[in-house]
């Protein structure tokens, strides 16, 4: 048997903490038929949006219900649309037990940092680990002054993010607060990543693959109006609709 050595010998592995980007699915009903119908319609509209992304099912909106979702059917549906459900959160004990029985893991709710805390910034590469130093302009703001190429993802936890260079196709800029891109925005921009409906997206050249605020998203399958396409614009959330306005 190999893999772990004892004494002063060097081990063949290490345990390290890791922060992974997860898609969250907030379900608002335990009605299996309604849930499957709505998800099928929504996911069929953007068949290439997900690429085997890990997902956590958020039950906080239905935790007071005595019923549990049909987790096996829900998991099968999500996998057919290239989403990999791995965890559940926010449910009551019975719902959580049903989810665990279906193969999901129970994860605790994430506590957001207070406003006075220094924001955490994560820069990830899809293929390999990349460490990038990012200057912090002040509490609640993170500045990126280098281009983001395809495959890179920057997440400003508990902060706004300001990007002063190109966000290429295939790159992702994510913030719990606002997203500012003072350059062409051609990749994905996600503001209000943890549910802040007041967050906004700003760009001096709006050409995104995807924009999202508090989970409401729009892809390039819906063409931008000519008055904002490739121009300075802001995006904000009004109800459950993204409003795009010229600046």
């Amino acid at each position: 048997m190999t893999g772990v050595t004892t004494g002063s010998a060097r081990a063949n592995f290490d345990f390290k903490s890791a922060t992974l980007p997860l898609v969250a699915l907030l379900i608002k009903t335990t009605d299996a038929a309604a849930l499957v119908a709505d998800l099928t319609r929504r996911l069929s509209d953007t068949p290439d949006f997900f690429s085997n992304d890990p997902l956590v099912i958020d039950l906080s909106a239905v935790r007071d219900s005595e019923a549990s979702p049909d987790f096996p059917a829900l998991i099968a549906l999500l996998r057919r649309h290239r989403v990999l459900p791995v965890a559940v959160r926010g449910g009551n004990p019975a719902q959580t037990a049903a989810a665990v029985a279906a193969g999901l893991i129970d994860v605790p709710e994430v506590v957001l940092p207070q406003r006075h805390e220094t924001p955490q910034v994560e820069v990830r590469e899809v293929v390999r680990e990349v460490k990038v130093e990012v200057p912090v302009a002040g509490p609640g703001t993170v500045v990126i002054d280098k281009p983001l190429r395809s495959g890179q993802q920057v997440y400003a936890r508990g902060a706004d993010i300001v990007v002063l260079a190109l966000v290429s196709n295939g790159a992702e800029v994510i913030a719990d607060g606002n997203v500012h891109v003072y350059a062409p925005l051609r990749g994905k921009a996600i503001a209000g990543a943890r549910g802040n409906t007041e967050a906004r997206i700003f760009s001096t050249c709006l050409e995104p693959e995807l924009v999202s605020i508090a989970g409401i998203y729009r892809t390039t399958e819906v063409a931008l109006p000519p008055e904002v396409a490739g121009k300075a614009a802001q995006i904000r959330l009004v109800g459950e609709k993204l409003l795009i306005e010229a600046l």
Side-chain angles (χ1 to χ4, degrees), residues 108-169:
E109 292 289 333
V110 177
V111 178
L112 295 179
Q114 299 299 314
R115 289 184 180 274
H116 65 272
E117 293 180 351
T118 302
Q120 301 178 40
V121 185
E122 300 163 18
V123 179
R124 294 185 288 269
E125 187 89 20
V126 170
V127 178
R128 61 186 183 278
E129 182 179 354
V130 175
K131 295 182 179 179
V132 178
E133 294 184 0
V134 241
V136 178
T141 304
V142 171
V143 175
I144 305 293
D145 58 5
K146 296 180 180 179
L148 296 175
R149 63 182 183 276
S150 178
Q152 283 192 310
Q153 180 190 82
V154 179
Y155 175 28
R157 184 187 300 274
D160 292 352
I161 191 167
V162 176
V163 185
L164 303 176
L166 169 69
V167 179
S168 301
N169 293 91

Side-chain angles (χ1 to χ4, degrees), residues 76-222:
L77 172 65
L78 291 169
R79 285 176 175 170
R80 285 199 300 271
H81 289 279
R82 301 177 65 197
V83 193
L84 302 179
V86 296
V88 66
R89 70 182 182 192
N92 60 43
Q95 293 168 340
T96 301
V100 171
L104 301 176
I105 60 173
D106 178 26
V107 296
E109 292 289 333
V110 177
V111 178
L112 295 179
Q114 299 299 314
R115 289 184 180 274
H116 65 272
E117 293 180 351
T118 302
Q120 301 178 40
V121 185
E122 300 163 18
V123 179
R124 294 185 288 269
E125 187 89 20
V126 170
V127 178
R128 61 186 183 278
E129 182 179 354
V130 175
K131 295 182 179 179
V132 178
E133 294 184 0
V134 241
V136 178
T141 304
V142 171
V143 175
I144 305 293
D145 58 5
K146 296 180 180 179
L148 296 175
R149 63 182 183 276
S150 178
Q152 283 192 310
Q153 180 190 82
V154 179
Y155 175 28
R157 184 187 300 274
D160 292 352
I161 191 167
V162 176
V163 185
L164 303 176
L166 169 69
V167 179
S168 301
N169 293 91
E172 297 182 33
V173 180
I174 306 172
D176 289 344
N178 302 306
V179 171
H180 301 258
V181 181
Y182 298 116
L185 170 58
R186 295 172 183 161
K188 299 177 182 179
I190 300 171
R194 298 197 184 188
N196 180 3
T197 57
E198 299 300 317
R200 299 190 183 194
I201 298 172
F202 303 88
S203 176
T204 56
C205 183
L206 191 65
E207 303 173 330
E209 294 176 308
L210 174 142
V211 289
S212 173
I213 298 176
I216 304 298
Y217 66 87
R218 173 179 178 141
T219 69
T220 52
E221 293 187 0
V222 180

Side-chain angles (χ1 to χ4, degrees), residues 47-68:
D48 298 321
F49 177 62
F50 294 108
S51 180
N52 295 319
D53 294 333
L55 175 142
V56 56
I57 298 174
D58 190 335
L59 302 174
S60 57
V62 296
R63 66 175 298 129
D64 293 332
S65 172
E66 296 181 358
S68 296

